[in-house]
Amino acid sequence: MNKIAIVFLMLISTLLITGCKAIQKENYSFYVGTYTKTTSKGIYKYAISSEGELKKIALVAETINPTFLAKSKDNKTLFAVGETNENGSGFVKSFKIENDSLLLISKEESGGAGPCFVALNDDNYIVTANYGGGNVGLLKTDTSGKLSSLLNVQQHFGKGSTNRQKAPHAHSAWFYPTKNELISVDLGTNQLWFSTIDKEKNELVLTNQKTLKMAEGAGPRHLTFHPNNKWMYVLNELNNTVSLVKEKDKNYFIASSVSLLPADFKSYSKAADIHITKDGKFLYASNRGHESIVIYKVNQKDGTLKTIGFQDVLGKSPRNFSLSPNEEFLVVANQDTDNIISFKRNAKTGLLTFVSEIAAPMPVCILF
């Protein structure tokens, strides 16, 4: 074989290997958290192909009501809440990620009843938002994924003006990406709660501002940070709005709010989840009742939102959704119709196109 032929074959081999790797990069697996009230056994693993087709892999952990999930940055450990109430507390569990299995490492109390959210920061602190307890639990994890016992509980107090707001209901807790700050979102007190972590005492300490009150009856639930880390978008479950929150002179304030629903829609609906694209150009949120994903275009100068469309989720109660790591797809968990839907996302327009549907038992969390 002459030198030209050898070089040609080497070139072809390199291109094939590179092409295969590129294809592999576009195939992603993800975990599905569920309610185990009906047929679900716990946490499941699914996959999405480079074309957006969904596939079930397996049940990877049997556990009660793993309604929210989070992963360590090294992708070696998965954390899941157990949304229960045993003697006034729920639980958080850690699992070792091993191929298509999750191996239980540890289980600890969350600090309050009905934990519905878990998150961790770069210092390996873990926070849980306990809806029933109206509080936030603080734990820590070591490099092996083993959880500490409960370190501290921040109890919220107060109430809002609706039937869902007669007591505190912590719904989520978010580590600010660029500073030592935790923002706890309490639907019941109708406030955002601002804290720092005292690393010597392992305690949550309220900042000088302490709280930010949302519009009466808003019922804040989740939030997302704009990539510029200057703006936050708070999803309000009860009055179906998104509020743009900014900071001035070290105090947060509500800059503007927009509706999550079409102007002519008058039926009951409640918002659930919110995510922004990595380029900060498009924001998405889910509506349970209108059964849709609302699509906003983000003004890059001031952060205001312009509604550009609504996508039917082809199911009921889109509790949670997620963008795929390459943001080519948006995957929705429809709690009340036991299905997961994938949509192809147009990066230029933000609009969504249906691709695939698959059965899943009472899915409420999607984690890539």
Side-chain angles (χ1 to χ4, degrees):
M1 187 180 291
N2 61 41
K3 289 183 178 180
I4 294 175
I6 292 171
V7 171
F8 179 74
L9 286 172
M10 289 175 66
L11 180 61
I12 292 295
S13 298
T14 302
L15 289 171
L16 285 170
I17 291 168
T18 304
C20 288
K21 284 183 178 178
I23 291 170
Q24 286 174 349
K25 284 181 181 178
E26 292 180 342
N27 288 268
Y28 300 105
S29 62
F30 59 92
Y31 294 97
V32 179
T34 66
Y35 274 114
T36 54
K37 300 173 183 178
T38 53
T39 60
S40 173
K41 301 293 185 182
I43 302 169
Y44 294 81
K45 191 175 183 180
Y46 284 74
I48 185 169
S49 74
S50 56
E51 289 77 38
E53 292 293 328
L54 296 170
K55 175 187 175 183
K56 181 180 176 181
I57 296 176
L59 169 69
V60 289
E62 290 197 23
T63 183
I64 298 172
N65 288 345
T67 58
F68 203 87
L69 313 173
K71 274 197 300 186
S72 59
K73 285 197 172 182
D74 62 10
N75 288 315
K76 292 181 179 179
T77 311
L78 183 141
F79 302 91
V81 298
E83 191 174 326
T84 58
N85 182 0
E86 294 183 23
N87 299 316
S89 183
F91 298 93
V92 57
K93 293 182 177 181
S94 63
F95 298 88
K96 181 182 179 182
I97 298 172
E98 193 166 280
N99 299 320
D100 291 336
S101 297
L102 292 177
L103 307 178
L104 181 65
I105 300 171
S106 57
K107 173 185 175 182
E108 296 292 340
E109 291 189 351
S110 66
C116 57
F117 192 92
V118 61
L120 68 156
N121 71 358
D122 291 341
D123 293 323
N124 290 325
Y125 280 103
I126 302 274
V127 287
T128 62
N130 300 303
Y131 184 88
N135 54 32
V136 175
L138 180 68
L139 304 90
K140 223 176 178 185
T141 178
D142 63 20
T143 53
S144 73
K146 181 176 171 55
L147 292 163
S148 71
S149 58
L150 188 67
L151 300 172
N152 184 233
V153 176
Q154 181 187 76
Q155 182 62 50
H156 294 174
F157 53 89
K159 61 182 181 178
S161 58
T162 71
N163 288 334
R164 289 274 306 279
Q165 298 177 306
K166 292 181 179 179
H169 293 302
H171 217 308
S172 59
W174 307 81
F175 290 105
Y176 205 104
T178 55
K179 54 184 174 180
N180 175 30
E181 189 168 79
L182 181 77
I183 302 169
S184 306
V185 183
D186 197 303
L187 183 146
T189 69
N190 206 48
Q191 296 167 317
L192 306 184
W193 292 67
F194 306 104
S195 310
T196 58
I197 297 176
D198 183 327
K199 295 177 183 178
E200 290 186 3
K201 296 181 179 179
N202 287 327
E203 290 180 356
L204 292 169
V205 180
L206 289 172
T207 65
N208 289 335
Q209 182 175 357
K210 296 182 181 177
T211 61
L212 174 65
K213 185 177 181 181
M214 306 306 289
E216 186 170 339
R221 177 186 174 97
H222 278 197
L223 63 78
T224 189
F225 298 96
H226 189 279
N228 66 14
N229 292 316
K230 296 178 181 177
W231 308 330
M232 288 184 288
Y233 297 92
V234 179
L235 178 129
N236 299 302
E237 176 178 339
L238 303 184
N239 75 351
N240 298 295
T241 63
V242 175
S243 295
L244 169 59
V245 174
K246 296 182 178 181
E247 189 178 9
K248 185 177 181 180
D249 299 328
K250 296 185 178 180
N251 273 281
Y252 295 100
F253 67 97
I254 300 170
S256 61
S257 295
V258 296
S259 177
L260 285 154
L261 300 168
D264 60 354
F265 183 80
K266 304 301 180 186
S267 300
Y268 177 74
S269 192
K270 56 181 180 178
D273 199 15
I274 185 168
H275 295 282
I276 195 168
T277 54
K278 293 172 187 175
D279 60 12
K281 292 182 179 179
F282 296 99
L283 184 77
Y284 300 88
S286 58
N287 294 306
R288 296 171 292 175
H290 188 249
E291 316 302 2
S292 67
I293 299 291
V294 57
I295 307 162
Y296 300 103
K297 188 171 184 178
V298 182
N299 184 310
Q300 298 302 295
K301 292 182 179 179
D302 61 11
T304 54
L305 302 176
K306 178 184 178 182
T307 307
I308 58 173
F310 295 87
Q311 175 62 53
D312 189 323
V313 295
L314 306 175
K316 291 186 177 180
S317 296
R319 162 90 170 224
N320 180 253
F321 67 94
S322 183
L323 294 164
S324 62
N326 61 5
E327 299 197 332
E328 288 186 7
F329 302 100
L330 187 148
V331 181
V332 185
N334 291 319
Q335 176 180 336
D336 292 345
T337 42
D338 296 332
N339 64 345
I340 296 172
I341 306 291
S342 67
F343 296 96
K344 177 76 173 176
R345 193 182 79 87
N346 186 315
K348 292 183 178 179
T349 66
L351 298 178
L352 305 171
T353 305
F354 168 75
V355 179
S356 181
E357 175 182 2
I358 197 166
M362 221 167 181
V364 290
C365 186
I366 303 285
L367 177 67
F368 279 95

